[in-house]
Amino acid sequence: MRRRKFLKKSGLSTAGLLSAPVLASCNTKSNATVAQTTSSSTKPIVICTWNFMNASAKAWEVLENEGSALDAVETGVKVEEADINNQTVGIGGRPDREGRVTLDACIMDKDANCGAVLCMENIAHPISVARKVMEETPHVMLAGLGAELFAYEQGFEKTNLLTEQSKKEWEEWKKTSKYETIINIENHDTIGMLAIDANGDIAGGCTTSGMGYKMAGRVGDSPIIGAGLFVDNEIGGATATGVGEEVVRTVGSFLIVELMRQGKSPQEACEEGVKRIMKKNEGRKDFQIGFIAVNKKGETGGYCVHPGFTYREYSENGHENKAVESFYQGG
Ligand code: ASP
């Protein structure tokens, strides 16, 4: 778009776009507004899990320049993959128990084409390798060494993903070797992103280093089409963050898209998705999951298990860090 038109309409300057309130830290509820389903005719929009402002801004840049939703999500999530200070995605991610950083990612386009890499080492941009799997192979998923070798074939460079910081923390962790997920200050914080472009087409991408100090070889929901991400261009898309094992058990993102197909709003569908998970986990409070969704009209919604999860939305109306309602109210 027509950046000028966008800026005029929203009354925001470029500087304003990137200024104070939106720089809230990833997991705080401060200056987040409670998500409401918003109605609009289909216009470009991007949403992502958590308050990944730079990633969503980058994706929005692609959309406003009339790029495809697919390019937008790939470009957007790459920002987090490249950020060494983000210890839950890409380079700098926390390693598994053996000290290896293994990455998971998947991508899905408007034609239900999809690609994924699982448990891949030494490559800084798993989302781009996932896209290559989608576009250059007859397969959907490549795992481990196979994914890594394919990446080299495609021209990706070998990169050491274990930063000094993550190594230091892992060495500290080894002293107790206690494996637990800490809600919202997680050793996990996937970026899942959904976008609609100027043609009204939807795409999604999801990328993570998975749970910190996971068992070697562990794969969560994030690279699993239907679990961590699902897009149906007729209906909408959904993506997840949180304890992947629980998302896989309900095929969470597919479920949410199917609920939207049955007439639920993105908000209602995300709520139902979390409730299904909690039904299988009655009384359990030791994990977080957050879902976000967008439908074909560009309406969005999100819901989570515990307070604290937010999602960032970018559209011609500006951008916002949206707090979502949760299954538990705290405590
Ligand atoms: N869903 C990711 C996984 O289970 C982690 C996360 O989103 O926090 O690997």
Side-chain angles (χ1 to χ4, degrees):
M1 174 167 351
R2 311 86 42 167
R3 187 169 179 81
R4 237 173 309 134
K5 199 167 131 209
F6 164 71
L7 291 174
K8 202 169 149 209
K9 179 154 191 211
S10 63
L12 295 168
S13 67
T14 308
L17 274 176
L18 301 176
S19 69
V22 296
L23 292 170
S25 78
C26 183
N27 297 324
T28 55
K29 279 183 83 173
S30 59
N31 66 38
T33 54
V34 172
Q36 304 267 327
T37 301
T38 48
S39 187
S40 63
S41 59
T42 305
K43 293 203 174 122
I45 188 168
V46 59
I47 57 173
C48 68
T49 54
W50 304 108
N51 189 19
F52 289 122
M53 195 198 70
N54 295 336
S56 54
K58 199 81 190 165
W60 176 248
E61 223 177 275
V62 174
L63 295 177
E64 68 175 349
N65 287 313
E66 299 189 12
S68 69
L70 188 65
D71 285 342
V73 296
E74 182 189 4
T75 309
V77 303
K78 277 175 80 174
V79 171
E80 291 307 319
E81 288 183 338
D83 182 357
I84 57 163
N85 296 317
N86 181 339
Q87 290 180 287
T88 56
V89 179
I91 188 165
R94 292 196 178 86
D96 66 14
R97 292 174 198 189
E98 320 304 321
R100 294 198 180 97
V101 181
T102 64
L103 304 180
D104 301 328
C106 73
I107 195 160
M108 190 162 189
D109 77 4
K110 64 182 171 54
D111 299 314
N113 295 311
C114 45
V117 290
L118 290 68
C119 210
M120 183 178 69
E121 291 181 65
N122 299 317
I123 304 289
H125 287 299
I127 195 73
S128 299
V129 185
R131 184 167 175 177
K132 290 283 185 198
V133 172
M134 173 174 91
E135 290 176 344
E136 307 293 337
T137 81
H139 305 305
V140 167
M141 296 190 246
L142 290 179
L145 186 61
E148 189 181 337
L149 293 177
F150 169 71
Y152 298 140
E153 255 174 46
Q154 294 293 317
F156 292 82
E157 275 172 22
K158 184 166 185 166
T159 307
N160 174 22
L161 302 177
L162 186 63
T163 54
E164 276 313 307
Q165 182 63 24
S166 288
K167 190 172 172 200
K168 219 168 89 196
E169 289 178 17
W170 167 65
E171 276 161 356
E172 200 48 42
W173 174 83
K174 276 201 295 183
K175 291 181 186 161
T176 56
S177 297
K178 192 167 175 223
Y179 181 70
E180 62 179 359
T181 60
I182 305 159
I183 289 159
N184 291 339
I185 315 167
E186 271 113 357
N187 49 2
H188 56 94
D189 252 359
T190 301
I191 180 164
M193 184 178 275
L194 302 162
I196 303 183
D197 61 28
N199 294 327
D201 289 324
I202 310 171
C206 188
T207 178
T208 190
S209 51
M211 314 290 277
Y213 319 129
K214 58 195 173 187
M215 289 175 71
R218 181 264 184 191
V219 172
D221 61 320
S222 305
I224 307 297
I225 296 293
L229 174 76
F230 195 71
V231 169
D232 182 325
N233 204 36
E234 280 180 9
I235 307 298
T239 188
T241 180
V243 174
E245 283 74 3
E246 296 307 323
V247 178
V248 169
R249 289 171 74 203
T250 49
V251 199
S253 294
F254 179 74
L255 171 66
I256 286 167
V257 173
E258 284 307 296
L259 290 166
M260 292 195 287
R261 188 191 303 280
Q262 289 162 24
K264 291 205 186 311
S265 69
Q267 183 60 37
E268 291 165 344
C270 288
E271 288 182 26
E272 178 63 23
V274 168
K275 284 175 187 159
R276 292 271 183 100
I277 289 174
M278 296 319 294
K279 213 171 158 192
K280 292 178 179 151
N281 287 284
E282 241 168 89
R284 253 189 89 184
K285 289 194 165 181
D286 61 346
F287 67 93
Q288 171 70 304
I289 284 173
F291 284 119
I292 60 170
V294 65
N295 67 11
K296 194 69 182 167
K297 288 188 264 178
E299 297 168 339
T300 68
Y303 198 68
C304 56
V305 175
H306 291 281
F309 172 61
T310 66
Y311 71 95
R312 181 153 283 276
E313 179 174 310
Y314 234 109
S315 72
E316 67 172 11
N317 300 322
H319 55 98
E320 211 175 337
N321 179 30
K322 293 186 157 190
V324 306
E325 302 286 350
S326 52
F327 185 85
Y328 290 120
Q329 300 315 310

mmCIF file of all heavy atoms in Angstrom, residues 27 78 87 97 188 203 223 251 288 316 323:
data_model
loop_
_atom_site.group_PDB
_atom_site.id
_atom_site.type_symbol
_atom_site.label_atom_id
_atom_site.label_comp_id
_atom_site.label_asym_id
_atom_site.label_seq_id
_atom_site.Cartn_x
_atom_site.Cartn_y
_atom_site.Cartn_z
ATOM 1 N N ASN A 27 6.260 -9.870 27.106
ATOM 2 C CA ASN A 27 5.303 -10.642 27.876
ATOM 3 C C ASN A 27 4.503 -9.837 28.892
ATOM 4 O O ASN A 27 3.818 -10.394 29.712
ATOM 5 C CB ASN A 27 6.035 -11.768 28.598
ATOM 6 C CG ASN A 27 6.650 -12.717 27.602
ATOM 7 O OD1 ASN A 27 6.049 -12.949 26.564
ATOM 8 N ND2 ASN A 27 7.825 -13.215 27.890
ATOM 9 N N LYS A 78 11.552 -13.825 10.044
ATOM 10 C CA LYS A 78 13.020 -13.848 9.952
ATOM 11 C C LYS A 78 13.671 -12.821 10.885
ATOM 12 O O LYS A 78 14.807 -12.997 11.327
ATOM 13 C CB LYS A 78 13.470 -13.582 8.504
ATOM 14 C CG LYS A 78 13.433 -14.841 7.648
ATOM 15 C CD LYS A 78 13.750 -14.544 6.198
ATOM 16 C CE LYS A 78 15.232 -14.407 5.952
ATOM 17 N NZ LYS A 78 15.509 -14.270 4.501
ATOM 18 N N GLN A 87 15.859 -15.695 22.745
ATOM 19 C CA GLN A 87 16.395 -17.033 23.052
ATOM 20 C C GLN A 87 15.389 -18.150 22.813
ATOM 21 O O GLN A 87 15.539 -19.251 23.333
ATOM 22 C CB GLN A 87 16.886 -17.063 24.497
ATOM 23 C CG GLN A 87 18.137 -16.213 24.691
ATOM 24 C CD GLN A 87 18.597 -16.251 26.123
ATOM 25 O OE1 GLN A 87 17.986 -15.654 26.997
ATOM 26 N NE2 GLN A 87 19.672 -16.967 26.384
ATOM 27 N N ARG A 97 19.089 -30.534 25.874
ATOM 28 C CA ARG A 97 19.871 -30.925 27.061
ATOM 29 C C ARG A 97 21.334 -31.212 26.752
ATOM 30 O O ARG A 97 22.187 -31.155 27.619
ATOM 31 C CB ARG A 97 19.234 -32.169 27.694
ATOM 32 C CG ARG A 97 17.893 -31.838 28.278
ATOM 33 C CD ARG A 97 17.162 -33.058 28.778
ATOM 34 N NE ARG A 97 15.752 -32.705 28.911
ATOM 35 C CZ ARG A 97 14.846 -33.475 29.474
ATOM 36 N NH1 ARG A 97 15.182 -34.652 29.945
ATOM 37 N NH2 ARG A 97 13.595 -33.070 29.550
ATOM 38 N N HIS A 188 10.249 -20.844 26.256
ATOM 39 C CA HIS A 188 9.653 -21.099 24.944
ATOM 40 C C HIS A 188 8.816 -19.876 24.578
ATOM 41 O O HIS A 188 8.157 -19.295 25.405
ATOM 42 C CB HIS A 188 8.794 -22.362 24.970
ATOM 43 C CG HIS A 188 7.706 -22.370 26.007
ATOM 44 N ND1 HIS A 188 6.424 -21.981 25.740
ATOM 45 C CD2 HIS A 188 7.727 -22.685 27.313
ATOM 46 C CE1 HIS A 188 5.697 -22.109 26.836
ATOM 47 N NE2 HIS A 188 6.463 -22.523 27.811
ATOM 48 N N ALA A 203 -1.620 -16.343 4.294
ATOM 49 C CA ALA A 203 -0.486 -17.266 4.475
ATOM 50 C C ALA A 203 -0.067 -17.208 5.935
ATOM 51 O O ALA A 203 -0.426 -16.271 6.669
ATOM 52 C CB ALA A 203 0.687 -16.872 3.583
ATOM 53 N N PRO A 223 6.375 -26.874 13.960
ATOM 54 C CA PRO A 223 6.573 -27.185 12.543
ATOM 55 C C PRO A 223 5.523 -28.162 12.005
ATOM 56 O O PRO A 223 5.664 -28.639 10.874
ATOM 57 C CB PRO A 223 7.953 -27.849 12.548
ATOM 58 C CG PRO A 223 7.985 -28.582 13.847
ATOM 59 C CD PRO A 223 7.164 -27.779 14.822
ATOM 60 N N VAL A 251 -4.555 -31.052 17.741
ATOM 61 C CA VAL A 251 -4.356 -30.501 16.385
ATOM 62 C C VAL A 251 -4.921 -29.071 16.371
ATOM 63 O O VAL A 251 -5.776 -28.718 15.553
ATOM 64 C CB VAL A 251 -4.976 -31.393 15.302
ATOM 65 C CG1 VAL A 251 -4.368 -31.081 13.936
ATOM 66 C CG2 VAL A 251 -4.765 -32.870 15.611
ATOM 67 N N GLN A 288 1.327 -22.980 29.643
ATOM 68 C CA GLN A 288 0.680 -21.896 28.903
ATOM 69 C C GLN A 288 0.510 -22.309 27.448
ATOM 70 O O GLN A 288 1.381 -23.003 26.886
ATOM 71 C CB GLN A 288 1.549 -20.622 28.985
ATOM 72 C CG GLN A 288 1.123 -19.455 28.093
ATOM 73 C CD GLN A 288 -0.160 -18.780 28.517
ATOM 74 O OE1 GLN A 288 -1.198 -19.422 28.636
ATOM 75 N NE2 GLN A 288 -0.113 -17.470 28.711
ATOM 76 N N GLU A 316 -3.890 -1.243 8.284
ATOM 77 C CA GLU A 316 -3.896 0.173 7.910
ATOM 78 C C GLU A 316 -4.418 1.049 9.058
ATOM 79 O O GLU A 316 -4.262 2.261 9.040
ATOM 80 C CB GLU A 316 -4.721 0.386 6.643
ATOM 81 C CG GLU A 316 -6.186 0.115 6.837
ATOM 82 C CD GLU A 316 -7.013 0.521 5.633
ATOM 83 O OE1 GLU A 316 -6.433 0.819 4.586
ATOM 84 O OE2 GLU A 316 -8.239 0.547 5.764
ATOM 85 N N ALA A 323 -3.819 -7.693 24.396
ATOM 86 C CA ALA A 323 -3.914 -8.700 25.455
ATOM 87 C C ALA A 323 -5.117 -9.572 25.145
ATOM 88 O O ALA A 323 -6.091 -9.100 24.563
ATOM 89 C CB ALA A 323 -4.101 -8.033 26.806
#
